[in-house]
Amino acid sequence: MAEIIEEFFTGYCRNFDMTQTVICEFEQLPNGLHLLDSSCEYGDCKFSKDCTLMKQALDKENV
């Protein structure tokens, strides 16, 4: 069974026009981290493709 890691990321959210803290769950795989879930609407949010807050989380994958 793979280890699950939770991390907190804080930054500006364009959707709410304010600073947000997002909790992300990662799965530890042999080749690095894989993002499983986040506490925001990333993917459904209209600002997802340019989201600087979630970019922090995505940059952790396969590091």
Side-chain angles (χ1 to χ4, degrees):
M1 182 174 190
E3 181 182 1
I4 303 298
I5 299 167
E6 288 186 343
E7 290 204 30
F8 293 78
F9 299 93
T10 302
Y12 176 71
C13 175
R14 287 178 62 194
N15 191 46
F16 292 105
D17 192 25
M18 61 189 279
T19 299
Q20 292 283 95
T21 298
V22 175
I23 305 168
C24 294
E25 287 185 352
F26 294 92
E27 181 178 23
Q28 179 67 59
L29 300 174
N31 62 338
L33 295 175
H34 172 70
L35 180 65
L36 296 175
D37 196 19
S38 68
S39 64
C40 73
E41 296 298 319
Y42 182 76
D44 293 330
C45 176
K46 65 183 178 180
F47 299 109
S48 288
K49 70 177 185 148
D50 299 319
C51 182
T52 58
L53 176 53
M54 281 303 292
K55 183 180 182 321
Q56 296 174 65
L58 295 172
D59 285 347
K60 298 284 278 184
E61 284 190 305
N62 297 322
V63 173

